[in-house]
Amino acid sequence: MKALVYHGSGQRSWESVPDAALQLPSDVVVHVDAVTICGTDLHILKGDVPTVTPGRILGHEALGTVVEVGSSVQRVKVGDRVLVSCISACGGCRYCRERAYGQCRGGGGWILGHLIDGTQAEFVRVPFADNSTYKIPAGVSDEQMILLADILPTAYEVGVLNGTVRPADVVAIVGAGPIGLAAVLTAKLFSPSHIVAIDRADTRLEAALKLGASAVVNPDRDDPAALIAELTGGLGADVTVEAVGIPQTFDLAVSLVRPGGHVANIGVHGAPVTLHLEDLWIKNLTLTTGLVDTYSTSTLIDLVASHQLDTASMITHRFKLDEFEAAYDVFAKAADTGALKVLVTA
Amino acid sequence: MKALVYHGSGQRSWESVPDAALQLPSDVVVHVDAVTICGTDLHILKGDVPTVTPGRILGHEALGTVVEVGSSVQRVKVGDRVLVSCISACGGCRYCRERAYGQCRGGGGWILGHLIDGTQAEFVRVPFADNSTYKIPAGVSDEQMILLADILPTAYEVGVLNGTVRPADVVAIVGAGPIGLAAVLTAKLFSPSHIVAIDRADTRLEAALKLGASAVVNPDRDDPAALIAELTGGLGADVTVEAVGIPQTFDLAVSLVRPGGHVANIGVHGAPVTLHLEDLWIKNLTLTTGLVDTYSTSTLIDLVASHQLDTASMITHRFKLDEFEAAYDVFAKAADTGALKVLVTA
Amino acid sequence: MKALVYHGSGQRSWESVPDAALQLPSDVVVHVDAVTICGTDLHILKGDVPTVTPGRILGHEALGTVVEVGSSVQRVKVGDRVLVSCISACGGCRYCRERAYGQCRGGGGWILGHLIDGTQAEFVRVPFADNSTYKIPAGVSDEQMILLADILPTAYEVGVLNGTVRPADVVAIVGAGPIGLAAVLTAKLFSPSHIVAIDRADTRLEAALKLGASAVVNPDRDDPAALIAELTGGLGADVTVEAVGIPQTFDLAVSLVRPGGHVANIGVHGAPVTLHLEDLWIKNLTLTTGLVDTYSTSTLIDLVASHQLDTASMITHRFKLDEFEAAYDVFAKAADTGALKVLVTA
Amino acid sequence: MKALVYHGSGQRSWESVPDAALQLPSDVVVHVDAVTICGTDLHILKGDVPTVTPGRILGHEALGTVVEVGSSVQRVKVGDRVLVSCISACGGCRYCRERAYGQCRGGGGWILGHLIDGTQAEFVRVPFADNSTYKIPAGVSDEQMILLADILPTAYEVGVLNGTVRPADVVAIVGAGPIGLAAVLTAKLFSPSHIVAIDRADTRLEAALKLGASAVVNPDRDDPAALIAELTGGLGADVTVEAVGIPQTFDLAVSLVRPGGHVANIGVHGAPVTLHLEDLWIKNLTLTTGLVDTYSTSTLIDLVASHQLDTASMITHRFKLDEFEAAYDVFAKAADTGALKVLVTA
């Protein structure tokens, strides 16, 4: 089969590899009908994720058709059309029992396109298939569904639910890349009074407004703190979401929150940050971090199916599998291309 | 009257001052029957709290007898014996309405012995008396009650409740000074499997064992991480409480917690800390900070009255008011004197 | 002044009475600019609420302008335009401290138009004014604001929040009178997948659809259980709200809920109900009841101000104060007149 | 092998039956080392549970040694000593994913000794073994462990956790049979101020005092309401637990709770109850019901292992397997024999 293979820092190619095959009784093999690229894949390509070794097939978001089923699989059968979740879950360890599948101690967690071959291929082996795939219900299009593989549950769980967004809250989202935009989209589910998106790219701020932000700020031109102060009588935001992953944006997220508020970090950080506890110790702050657990995937599917959530609006570019390298080029230059999510289909 | 007056960095004296008197209709004046010294008072004396100006009477923990009552006070009357809480609450601002009295925007919060004259005196004016005092119930001794002015609600709310200690948890408490010991005492209310106290002073570790720690570690001799790993199968503590307030102890508290666990910061920090988000972003961490709100004071009174909590065991030294300077000397040299809480009575 | 006075079962008149006046230092007197009639007022007029004695001025929902202020009032002043909440709160009792103002033990709770004279008058005395009134913010019309006096917080707190409506839930609301419709409106704040309204009056079902119900059922024609089963794969609704107050509708609400679901009772019941614990003991049911506490009033104001909630659409008829008796006639015959809320203005 | 077989209402015998054997790949077969009798078994024997058909081996509490393991079992192996939980869990259905294993839709739930052959036998087949058994850790005796099969998680989850017992609460437990006593034992984990046990059998009240109740009432002699009023200033209990299952005790549990309190029903009811909503609609009541889900079993094991919980004190009588009929006789006449839990060992 063909697949997108990582060959060390900065090197990738769409090339022939051995076919995906069952390895364990709880595996299935899925024919990939649609797949996307995640910002994390770009990190890997920069060499920032040393646990990904050369030769690895990338990708942890996909949907497709089950073509082979291991002997102990109970709830998935050949022909099922399924979402392949970015998180695989053994289902039985302490963390899986508490629905913290991302922290699975039984061999799961984020392994696809990381510790085992991933979804950017014609076929993919999916371990722990009973707990790691979701049937695509009637009435949900592939374009809606595929965003539930990673970005939507990540923004919803790690941003919105960890941040405990509530009706009438003022929410500030630092970073309006795909993950920040997905946080805009899912924060709206709780009817905050104001969602303020902050980014340096005006194209992204425009996208934020379209997806439901009530205000946007480009910090190169305006002061986010001034806007938040205006909206909150000088108090600060109820919830801030960090959706970038660098010290400056973390600082900004912390500085914008009110006493008693929540800072929900989604950003993947590569360096330590400074936490000003000399000011914050007294501020009744709650700060959360997290890898997605995907415990919300079923909820998000129901929300899409009932038209409470329009995920497909985040897809800006579409490619075929044999154009995978072009898809990467477009996604990697999002500032120029305006790419949010690129869809690659069979 | 006589009072303990701050005269700038390093300077204090027990001296004559004008009598405490009503200023606002919601005030009461209390004859101080018993008062203690807080670690924060030592910080003030070092000049670390610039909002405290020379001439200020120190102290924010006391109990006594009401001798004068303002015209709008509804629930306190002359002759009542009351606890004077470290936190004053206007009762009507947004934060008071949410029981976050420590964050009061209506003129309250931590003001006693800070922005207004405090309790280390023969008499003290208590603002917002209806919301800032608690009647001493029959069957609760002064020695039990006085610790509910600050240290017990602080340890309970900011450490144990913010940390969400649950039955069977493994709890690590970094720092076994008075506040850390009060965290040991109140963590037990939720029946954790193990409470590990960590401190460099063996006298404090002995006190921790007496108050209910199941294990203690002196990091100069043993590795706290090794003990926590042994108790948790290598996973880390469910909850860690930072009860010191310096970067090293904060680092330790963060390093000991398991994925998905809580770090509850109680320590009063004077400098920023480094937060290793490059490791922690993926760890489903919850970090909380806070000044005490004293929303739990009534609960703690009920616990003392029903013998679920023995607070008086934390009092190690007793003085009369005219020995106040000696009391400070003993408390300031806790490492030598073994002082936990010193009680000064009229 | 003129007021609507209750003269015993079935008897009321708009007549001259002594002017409202301050009685306690925490009172204010408000000139009534707008007032509504509540279903509870009809119950009183039927003689169903014996604690209301003849001679009482009815009404517990209003907004107006403050004309006189008691000596201990802190946060309200003459000239303020305020919402008068249906619940008065002493602010200091155990229940008020926990924001359960409806259960106030200090002389508050539901007293207006019940134990003391109410708001259906030219002027009204409001006790505990600091805790029982809310300033009308710029940008919120009187017609939006007045529904926050009772019906909106009741539906939101006792129905939606007690029922813990969550994104993607299936919610069944039994009864589409004003309170049931307000539950439809506020349930939407949490983005349920489906809101099913159930009533025997088709005009009310039409109103439910306009306010955001995704489906409606008239049980005289269709089986609500069949619709809920279809929406939930036979499982039952996640949350059911009882908004009528009779045994049959309670039975229906309980019968429609799934195992592990919530039944939130808002209905004011006059008779006992049968609870089929022989079936329900095993069903992991949560059943809640409650009088409104109005802890959510500020949140609801923010939601109206930020256009997340359109309350004014519930007002169907408008009158002047001297047409008060006509207003009662229209409201009492809601089945014929299609009245939801009637507004009476000065 | 030998087993205790139900032969229709009132009839049982310890007799020879075919050996337990694997049926599905997720099964294990366990040699029963110790087993108990549950109150539910007595209900079955009275013919009250028609889903149990003649020929069924009874019993849903046991521990033993694994002797055979199905092909898809991952986490249990031959020779493991395990607790057999009363609840079997498929692990993959909607309810199992939310840890509501008792409501399993995938073929699990309470099936042992109910829909399939149970544990009162020399060997037992355990379905879904990965999710339905728990390894017995070093340092936990069989006598401690076996009570975690049903009665402890039932009392803890359905009584204490559903009732949200908190530090300083006043808790009333109606019924001091084994399940009520287990509620006494586990309520203590949250340090309530008072635990009041109510029963008509003085021997059970004595047991309640030994297990940690702070007061007991025999309603044939004293008025439970009077004692609760005395402890709560007339307000009512924070939490009441119904642990009998008849209308009178349910009424009592509801009548004893304060406004805003919780009634947690554990009792297995055979008849409807009357709920006085004409009084309760206004009372901010929360009422919960439930079959045990056993999500707390690991927590309870940790609590026993760390000596926070002493379950073995509930075992009053001990028998060998071939004395099973005598064990039933003693347990069925608990009023005379004082039996709480009877242990039957191989």
Side-chain angles (χ1 to χ4, degrees):
Chain A
M1 68 177 191
K2 290 295 203 76
L4 195 289
V5 181
Y6 170 70
H7 289 296
S9 183
Q11 309 204 46
R12 55 172 156 80
S13 71
W14 177 253
E15 63 187 44
S16 290
V17 296
D19 281 0
L22 297 179
Q23 293 184 13
L24 291 169
S26 55
D27 291 346
V28 299
V29 174
V30 172
H31 172 269
V32 174
D33 296 332
V35 56
T36 56
I37 308 174
C38 179
T40 307
D41 297 322
L42 301 182
H43 280 293
I44 294 170
L45 277 167
K46 282 182 194 145
D48 287 353
V49 188
T51 42
V52 180
T53 50
R56 176 69 61 233
I57 300 172
L58 297 184
H60 51 268
E61 306 169 294
L63 57 76
T65 308
V66 177
V67 293
E68 214 175 344
V69 171
S71 61
S72 72
V73 174
Q74 307 269 335
R75 292 182 288 277
V76 185
K77 51 186 199 308
V78 169
D80 283 352
R81 295 201 73 243
V82 296
L83 178 75
V84 178
S85 175
C86 65
I87 297 296
S88 306
C90 83
C93 72
R94 169 189 175 150
Y95 283 94
C96 283
R97 285 223 157 200
E98 297 182 352
R99 311 183 75 189
Y101 308 117
Q103 305 290 338
C104 172
R105 302 269 142 173
W110 171 42
I111 56 173
L112 283 172
H114 176 206
L115 307 179
I116 65 170
D117 285 335
T119 59
Q120 294 172 357
E122 291 180 295
F123 295 88
V124 59
R125 175 179 76 93
V126 182
F128 306 115
D130 277 334
N131 306 314
S132 312
T133 62
Y134 297 83
K135 289 211 178 61
I136 304 174
V140 175
S141 71
D142 283 12
E143 295 213 351
Q144 295 276 9
M145 192 76 179
I146 192 156
L147 293 179
L148 306 187
D150 178 347
I151 189 170
L152 262 291
T154 296
Y156 184 55
E157 296 176 10
V158 185
V160 175
L161 295 181
N162 277 4
T164 66
V165 174
R166 298 278 306 163
D169 275 358
V170 173
V171 180
I173 296 176
V174 181
I179 197 76
L181 293 171
V184 169
L185 205 58
T186 51
K188 281 197 306 176
L189 295 167
F190 289 95
S191 305
S193 284
H194 301 279
I195 302 176
V196 178
I198 302 164
D199 203 295
R200 291 188 141 144
D202 289 333
T203 53
R204 293 184 155 187
L205 295 179
E206 280 158 36
L209 286 169
K210 271 184 207 148
L211 289 166
S214 54
V216 296
V217 189
N218 184 326
D220 291 335
R221 285 198 306 271
D222 296 298
D223 180 8
L227 175 60
I228 296 295
E230 186 191 321
L231 292 172
T232 61
L235 205 56
D238 299 288
V239 181
T240 66
V241 175
E242 205 284 347
V244 180
I246 60 174
Q248 298 92 309
T249 49
F250 180 79
D251 272 0
L252 181 59
V254 171
S255 72
L256 293 177
V257 81
R258 70 168 172 84
H262 288 73
V263 178
N265 183 82
I266 316 180
V268 176
H269 290 257
V273 299
T274 298
L275 189 67
H276 288 282
L277 274 187
E278 75 280 20
D279 299 325
L280 298 169
W281 74 266
I282 203 171
K283 213 180 163 183
N284 291 21
L285 183 76
T286 301
L287 168 67
T288 52
T289 73
L291 178 69
V292 66
D293 288 319
T294 65
Y295 62 81
S296 70
T297 307
S298 296
T299 298
L300 293 166
I301 293 172
D302 289 347
L303 287 165
V304 169
S306 61
H307 310 294
Q308 301 298 314
L309 198 57
D310 173 23
T311 57
S313 51
M314 295 188 62
I315 298 177
T316 53
H317 295 74
R318 289 162 183 81
F319 298 88
K320 289 288 174 182
L321 279 181
D322 58 11
E323 302 167 313
F324 222 119
E325 304 218 31
Y328 258 97
D329 290 340
V330 163
F331 186 65
K333 293 178 183 160
D336 300 330
T337 61
L340 295 177
K341 289 298 280 186
V342 304
L343 184 72
V344 186
T345 53
Chain B
M1 69 178 190
K2 290 294 203 80
L4 196 287
V5 181
Y6 171 69
H7 289 296
S9 183
Q11 309 206 46
R12 56 171 155 80
S13 73
W14 177 253
E15 64 187 44
S16 290
V17 297
D19 280 0
L22 297 179
Q23 293 184 14
L24 291 169
S26 56
D27 289 347
V28 299
V29 174
V30 172
H31 172 270
V32 174
D33 296 332
V35 55
T36 57
I37 308 173
C38 179
T40 307
D41 297 322
L42 301 182
H43 279 292
I44 294 170
L45 277 168
K46 281 180 195 149
D48 287 352
V49 188
T51 43
V52 179
T53 51
R56 177 68 63 232
I57 300 173
L58 298 183
H60 51 268
E61 307 170 293
L63 57 77
T65 308
V66 176
V67 293
E68 216 175 340
V69 171
S71 62
S72 72
V73 172
Q74 307 269 336
R75 293 182 288 276
V76 184
K77 49 182 204 308
V78 169
D80 281 354
R81 296 201 74 241
V82 297
L83 178 75
V84 178
S85 175
C86 64
I87 298 294
S88 305
C90 83
C93 71
R94 169 189 174 149
Y95 283 95
C96 282
R97 286 221 158 199
E98 297 181 352
R99 311 183 75 186
Y101 309 117
Q103 305 289 338
C104 174
R105 302 266 143 174
W110 171 42
I111 55 174
L112 283 174
H114 175 206
L115 307 178
I116 66 170
D117 285 334
T119 58
Q120 294 172 358
E122 290 179 297
F123 295 89
V124 61
R125 175 179 77 92
V126 182
F128 307 114
D130 277 334
N131 306 315
S132 312
T133 62
Y134 297 83
K135 290 211 177 62
I136 304 174
V140 175
S141 72
D142 284 10
E143 296 213 349
Q144 297 274 9
M145 192 76 178
I146 193 155
L147 294 179
L148 307 187
D150 179 348
I151 188 169
L152 263 288
T154 297
Y156 184 54
E157 295 175 13
V158 186
V160 174
L161 295 181
N162 278 4
T164 65
V165 174
R166 298 278 305 163
D169 276 357
V170 172
V171 180
I173 295 175
V174 180
I179 199 76
L181 293 171
V184 169
L185 207 55
T186 51
K188 281 198 306 176
L189 294 167
F190 288 94
S191 306
S193 284
H194 302 278
I195 302 175
V196 177
I198 302 165
D199 204 294
R200 289 187 143 143
D202 288 334
T203 53
R204 293 182 155 190
L205 296 179
E206 281 159 35
L209 286 170
K210 272 185 206 148
L211 289 166
S214 54
V216 295
V217 189
N218 185 326
D220 292 333
R221 284 197 306 271
D222 296 296
D223 180 7
L227 175 59
I228 296 296
E230 185 192 322
L231 292 172
T232 61
L235 204 56
D238 298 288
V239 182
T240 66
V241 176
E242 204 284 347
V244 180
I246 59 173
Q248 299 92 311
T249 50
F250 179 80
D251 272 0
L252 181 59
V254 171
S255 72
L256 293 176
V257 80
R258 69 168 173 85
H262 289 71
V263 177
N265 183 81
I266 315 180
V268 176
H269 291 257
V273 300
T274 298
L275 188 67
H276 289 282
L277 274 187
E278 76 278 19
D279 299 325
L280 297 170
W281 74 268
I282 203 171
K283 214 181 164 181
N284 291 22
L285 183 75
T286 301
L287 167 67
T288 53
T289 73
L291 179 69
V292 66
D293 288 318
T294 66
Y295 62 80
S296 71
T297 307
S298 296
T299 299
L300 292 165
I301 294 172
D302 289 347
L303 287 165
V304 169
S306 62
H307 310 295
Q308 301 297 316
L309 198 57
D310 173 23
T311 57
S313 52
M314 293 188 63
I315 298 176
T316 53
H317 295 76
R318 289 161 183 82
F319 298 89
K320 288 291 172 183
L321 279 181
D322 58 11
E323 302 167 312
F324 222 119
E325 305 218 31
Y328 259 97
D329 291 340
V330 163
F331 185 64
K333 295 179 183 158
D336 300 330
T337 61
L340 296 178
K341 289 298 280 186
V342 302
L343 184 73
V344 186
T345 54
Chain C
M1 68 177 190
K2 290 294 201 78
L4 196 289
V5 181
Y6 170 69
H7 289 295
S9 183
Q11 310 207 46
R12 56 173 154 77
S13 72
W14 177 254
E15 64 187 43
S16 290
V17 296
D19 280 2
L22 297 178
Q23 293 184 14
L24 291 170
S26 55
D27 290 347
V28 298
V29 174
V30 171
H31 172 268
V32 174
D33 296 332
V35 55
T36 56
I37 308 174
C38 179
T40 307
D41 297 321
L42 301 183
H43 280 293
I44 294 170
L45 278 167
K46 284 183 194 143
D48 286 354
V49 187
T51 42
V52 180
T53 51
R56 177 68 62 231
I57 300 172
L58 297 184
H60 51 268
E61 305 170 292
L63 56 76
T65 309
V66 177
V67 294
E68 216 177 338
V69 171
S71 61
S72 72
V73 173
Q74 307 269 334
R75 292 182 289 276
V76 185
K77 50 183 201 309
V78 170
D80 282 353
R81 295 200 74 243
V82 296
L83 178 76
V84 178
S85 175
C86 64
I87 297 294
S88 305
C90 83
C93 72
R94 170 189 174 152
Y95 283 95
C96 282
R97 287 222 157 199
E98 296 180 353
R99 310 184 75 188
Y101 307 117
Q103 306 289 338
C104 174
R105 303 266 142 175
W110 172 42
I111 55 173
L112 282 173
H114 175 206
L115 307 179
I116 67 171
D117 284 336
T119 59
Q120 294 172 357
E122 291 181 296
F123 295 89
V124 60
R125 175 180 77 92
V126 182
F128 306 115
D130 277 335
N131 306 316
S132 313
T133 61
Y134 297 83
K135 288 208 179 63
I136 304 174
V140 175
S141 71
D142 284 10
E143 295 214 350
Q144 297 274 8
M145 192 76 179
I146 192 153
L147 294 179
L148 307 187
D150 180 346
I151 188 169
L152 262 289
T154 296
Y156 184 54
E157 296 176 9
V158 185
V160 174
L161 295 181
N162 277 4
T164 66
V165 174
R166 299 278 304 164
D169 275 357
V170 173
V171 180
I173 296 177
V174 181
I179 199 75
L181 292 171
V184 169
L185 207 56
T186 52
K188 281 198 306 176
L189 295 166
F190 289 95
S191 306
S193 285
H194 301 280
I195 302 177
V196 178
I198 301 165
D199 203 294
R200 291 188 143 144
D202 287 335
T203 53
R204 294 184 155 187
L205 295 179
E206 280 157 36
L209 285 170
K210 271 185 208 148
L211 289 166
S214 53
V216 295
V217 189
N218 185 326
D220 292 333
R221 283 198 305 272
D222 296 299
D223 179 8
L227 176 59
I228 296 296
E230 185 191 321
L231 292 171
T232 61
L235 205 55
D238 298 290
V239 182
T240 66
V241 176
E242 204 286 344
V244 180
I246 58 172
Q248 297 91 311
T249 48
F250 180 80
D251 272 1
L252 181 59
V254 171
S255 72
L256 293 177
V257 81
R258 71 168 172 83
H262 289 73
V263 178
N265 183 81
I266 315 179
V268 176
H269 291 257
V273 301
T274 297
L275 189 68
H276 288 282
L277 274 187
E278 77 277 20
D279 298 325
L280 298 169
W281 75 266
I282 203 171
K283 212 180 164 183
N284 291 21
L285 183 76
T286 300
L287 168 67
T288 52
T289 74
L291 179 69
V292 65
D293 288 319
T294 67
Y295 62 81
S296 70
T297 307
S298 296
T299 298
L300 292 166
I301 293 172
D302 289 347
L303 287 165
V304 169
S306 62
H307 310 295
Q308 301 298 315
L309 198 57
D310 173 22
T311 58
S313 50
M314 293 188 64
I315 298 177
T316 53
H317 295 75
R318 288 162 184 82
F319 299 89
K320 287 290 172 183
L321 278 182
D322 56 12
E323 304 167 310
F324 223 118
E325 304 218 31
Y328 258 96
D329 290 340
V330 164
F331 186 65
K333 295 178 183 159
D336 300 330
T337 60
L340 294 178
K341 289 298 280 186
V342 303
L343 184 73
V344 186
T345 54
Chain D
M1 69 178 189
K2 290 293 201 80
L4 195 289
V5 181
Y6 170 68
H7 289 295
S9 183
Q11 308 206 49
R12 57 173 156 79
S13 72
W14 177 255
E15 63 187 45
S16 290
V17 296
D19 280 0
L22 298 179
Q23 293 184 14
L24 291 168
S26 55
D27 291 345
V28 299
V29 173
V30 172
H31 172 269
V32 174
D33 296 333
V35 55
T36 57
I37 309 173
C38 179
T40 306
D41 297 321
L42 301 183
H43 280 293
I44 294 170
L45 277 168
K46 282 182 194 144
D48 287 353
V49 188
T51 41
V52 179
T53 50
R56 177 67 62 232
I57 299 173
L58 298 183
H60 51 267
E61 307 169 292
L63 58 76
T65 308
V66 176
V67 294
E68 216 175 340
V69 171
S71 62
S72 72
V73 173
Q74 306 269 334
R75 293 182 289 276
V76 185
K77 48 182 203 309
V78 169
D80 282 353
R81 295 202 71 243
V82 297
L83 178 74
V84 177
S85 175
C86 64
I87 298 294
S88 305
C90 83
C93 71
R94 171 190 173 150
Y95 283 95
C96 282
R97 284 222 159 200
E98 296 181 353
R99 310 184 76 188
Y101 308 117
Q103 306 289 337
C104 174
R105 301 266 141 174
W110 172 42
I111 54 173
L112 282 173
H114 175 206
L115 306 179
I116 65 170
D117 284 335
T119 59
Q120 295 172 357
E122 290 180 298
F123 295 88
V124 59
R125 174 180 77 93
V126 182
F128 306 116
D130 277 334
N131 305 316
S132 313
T133 62
Y134 297 83
K135 289 210 178 63
I136 304 174
V140 175
S141 71
D142 284 10
E143 296 214 348
Q144 296 275 7
M145 193 76 178
I146 192 154
L147 293 180
L148 306 188
D150 179 347
I151 188 169
L152 263 290
T154 295
Y156 184 55
E157 296 176 10
V158 185
V160 174
L161 295 181
N162 278 3
T164 66
V165 174
R166 298 279 304 163
D169 275 357
V170 173
V171 180
I173 295 175
V174 180
I179 199 76
L181 292 171
V184 169
L185 206 57
T186 52
K188 282 197 306 176
L189 295 167
F190 288 95
S191 306
S193 285
H194 301 280
I195 302 175
V196 178
I198 301 165
D199 203 294
R200 291 188 142 143
D202 287 335
T203 51
R204 292 182 156 188
L205 296 179
E206 281 159 35
L209 286 170
K210 270 184 207 147
L211 289 167
S214 54
V216 295
V217 189
N218 184 325
D220 292 333
R221 284 198 306 271
D222 296 298
D223 180 8
L227 175 59
I228 297 296
E230 186 192 320
L231 291 172
T232 62
L235 205 57
D238 298 289
V239 181
T240 65
V241 175
E242 205 283 347
V244 179
I246 59 173
Q248 297 93 310
T249 50
F250 180 79
D251 273 359
L252 182 59
V254 171
S255 72
L256 292 176
V257 80
R258 70 167 172 85
H262 289 72
V263 177
N265 183 81
I266 316 179
V268 176
H269 291 257
V273 300
T274 298
L275 189 67
H276 288 282
L277 274 187
E278 76 278 20
D279 299 325
L280 297 169
W281 74 268
I282 203 170
K283 213 180 164 183
N284 291 21
L285 183 76
T286 301
L287 168 66
T288 52
T289 73
L291 179 70
V292 66
D293 287 319
T294 65
Y295 62 80
S296 70
T297 306
S298 295
T299 299
L300 292 166
I301 293 172
D302 288 348
L303 287 165
V304 169
S306 62
H307 311 295
Q308 301 297 315
L309 198 57
D310 173 23
T311 57
S313 51
M314 293 188 62
I315 299 176
T316 52
H317 295 76
R318 288 162 184 82
F319 298 89
K320 287 291 174 183
L321 279 181
D322 57 11
E323 302 167 312
F324 223 118
E325 303 218 32
Y328 259 96
D329 291 340
V330 163
F331 186 64
K333 296 181 184 158
D336 300 330
T337 60
L340 296 177
K341 290 297 281 184
V342 302
L343 184 73
V344 186
T345 53

